[in-house]
Amino acid sequence: MKFGRVEQPENIDFTIPKDHPDTPVVLSKTKKDSPLSIYVGCAKWNRQDLKNFYPRGTKDELAYYATQFNCIELNATFYRIFPAETYQKWYDKTPDDFKFFPKIVQNVSHLRRLNDQAYPVLDEYLNVTSNLKDKLGTIFLQMHNNFGPKNWDRVVRFVEYWPKEFQLAMEFRHTDWFNDEKVAQELYHLLQENSIANTLVDTAGRRDLMHMRLTNNEAFIRYVGANHPTDYDRIEDWVLKLEDWIGKGLKNIHFFVHQNMELESPLLSVRFITELNKKLGCDLKIPKTLHDSGPSLF
């Protein structure tokens, strides 16, 4: 993921900002006896992107990936709508507790930009995506950087149209969604009233997207490492933040690890899951990497 990439990440202040004042309020409304659900994964399962991960001779990358991670942020669905049969194959290759978190196809978000012509495409997309059945996690919509608040009416219409049987997260990248306080509050209210997750993106060059405003009981976090030693410190800071949110009522964590150049995403995931297990006392599977038998990069 090249979004938010900078040449000198060591000059960036990666401190996680304070929570938006309304985030603890949202979390406090959770039923205390609700179970804690944590899904951690990468964005792709391609061998060329996940270096030092697949053992020699691996024939089916998804099948192996799903033995190591409990989810995938499915970016492939952004580029085209796959046949229903493909979703069925993905379903069949993965364990019962595995989840897919697919991105909505770009024809809806980037090419049609939520205009009238986007809705037949969206219907087709949801029709085939539903073949993931109980393994379908939150679907997420990512808007183009230049899709700003002047398109507010399109956002409202999309939210009103969205079928409530599908969980949704939305990611807005234009700076004015968050830099204009009135606009931000209207957006947060719309998402909160419709139980839509407000995506958090942690990337070096766009710290304004760390708005720390949750709009439902779901932390949908897209973490983008900068291919720099600070990546590991940032991962540990996120463990502490999630521990804090859990103490305030958070029950659903969906955390996806990217890098500007996908070289060590599995290693970053190993560090994150290991620290989560230590801090939270959970028992998430720690993925194996080819570095497990050699010198540690940590």
Side-chain angles (χ1 to χ4, degrees):
M1 181 190 282
K2 296 181 180 179
F3 176 70
R5 184 175 182 176
V6 299
E7 292 301 319
Q8 295 180 301
E10 63 273 14
N11 295 332
I12 301 296
D13 180 4
F14 285 112
T15 304
I16 294 179
K18 293 181 180 179
D19 288 353
H20 186 284
D22 290 330
T23 290
V25 177
V26 170
L27 295 179
S28 69
K29 298 176 181 178
T30 310
K31 293 181 179 179
K32 302 301 181 185
D33 57 350
S34 300
L36 178 62
S37 174
I38 304 175
Y39 285 89
V40 180
C42 298
K44 311 171 185 176
W45 62 70
N46 306 52
R47 186 190 307 264
Q48 63 193 37
D49 292 311
L50 300 187
K51 302 292 191 293
N52 302 310
F53 179 62
Y54 292 103
R56 186 184 301 274
T58 300
K59 294 181 179 179
D60 192 315
E61 294 165 4
L62 174 58
Y64 178 78
Y65 173 96
T67 67
Q68 302 301 308
F69 290 93
N70 65 359
C71 72
I72 183 83
E73 184 200 278
L74 193 54
N75 271 311
T77 56
F78 176 72
Y79 298 101
R80 66 186 179 98
I81 296 179
F82 290 86
E85 295 77 13
T86 300
Y87 286 92
Q88 186 63 51
K89 288 179 182 177
W90 292 343
Y91 183 94
D92 292 341
K93 287 180 179 182
T94 51
D96 291 345
D97 59 350
F98 191 84
K99 295 282 188 185
F100 295 86
F101 293 80
K103 185 188 290 189
I104 293 176
V105 68
Q106 62 183 338
N107 288 15
V108 172
S109 57
H110 287 51
L111 302 181
R112 304 301 184 192
R113 298 169 63 85
L114 306 187
N115 68 9
D116 292 345
Q117 296 174 324
Y119 289 91
V121 181
L122 178 64
D123 290 341
E124 180 186 1
Y125 172 86
L126 291 175
N127 185 50
V128 294
T129 302
S130 66
N131 284 282
L132 292 173
K133 296 171 281 198
D134 55 304
K135 295 181 183 179
L136 176 59
T138 302
I139 299 171
F140 75 102
L141 176 77
Q142 176 197 94
M143 297 310 301
H144 195 283
N145 301 356
N146 61 18
F147 183 88
K150 68 180 182 179
N151 298 291
W152 172 250
D153 289 346
R154 294 188 183 189
V155 175
V156 172
R157 181 186 175 194
F158 181 87
V159 167
E160 291 175 346
Y161 182 88
W162 182 259
K164 299 305 184 238
E165 62 266 30
F166 297 108
Q167 289 296 115
L168 177 66
M170 299 182 75
E171 177 183 331
F172 296 91
R173 291 182 164 187
H174 193 291
T175 57
D176 287 347
W177 288 110
F178 307 110
N179 292 335
D180 185 317
E181 182 63 26
K182 184 176 183 295
V183 169
Q185 286 299 99
E186 289 179 345
L187 176 62
Y188 299 151
H189 179 76
L190 178 70
L191 300 183
Q192 187 171 327
E193 287 299 301
N194 290 275
S195 194
I196 295 170
N198 189 22
T199 305
L200 281 166
V201 182
D202 183 346
T203 187
R206 286 295 306 276
R207 303 312 291 167
D208 58 312
L209 299 182
M210 288 282 282
H211 44 71
M212 309 310 287
R213 175 59 157 95
L214 302 186
T215 48
N216 65 356
N217 198 288
E218 177 179 2
F220 194 105
I221 300 158
R222 307 183 73 216
Y223 171 90
V224 187
N227 299 97
H228 189 269
T230 54
D231 291 352
Y232 291 94
D233 295 331
R234 293 166 57 197
I235 280 286
E236 295 191 0
D237 288 344
W238 265 114
V239 172
L240 295 176
K241 170 45 64 180
L242 292 171
E243 181 186 32
D244 173 57
W245 278 347
I246 289 170
K248 294 174 180 174
L250 179 65
K251 297 295 183 180
N252 299 284
I253 296 170
H254 303 143
F255 194 98
F256 306 102
V257 179
H258 300 251
Q259 280 190 305
N260 292 143
M261 296 176 60
E262 298 288 2
L263 298 175
E264 293 189 359
S265 292
L267 293 175
L268 285 169
S269 301
V270 166
R271 171 64 69 87
F272 181 69
I273 293 171
T274 300
E275 295 302 316
L276 269 183
N277 285 345
K278 287 179 184 177
K279 275 285 183 187
L280 304 182
C282 47
D283 190 27
L284 295 174
K285 180 181 177 65
I286 299 174
K288 295 179 182 178
T289 72
L290 299 190
H291 287 291
D292 289 348
S293 58
S296 171
L297 294 189
F298 301 153

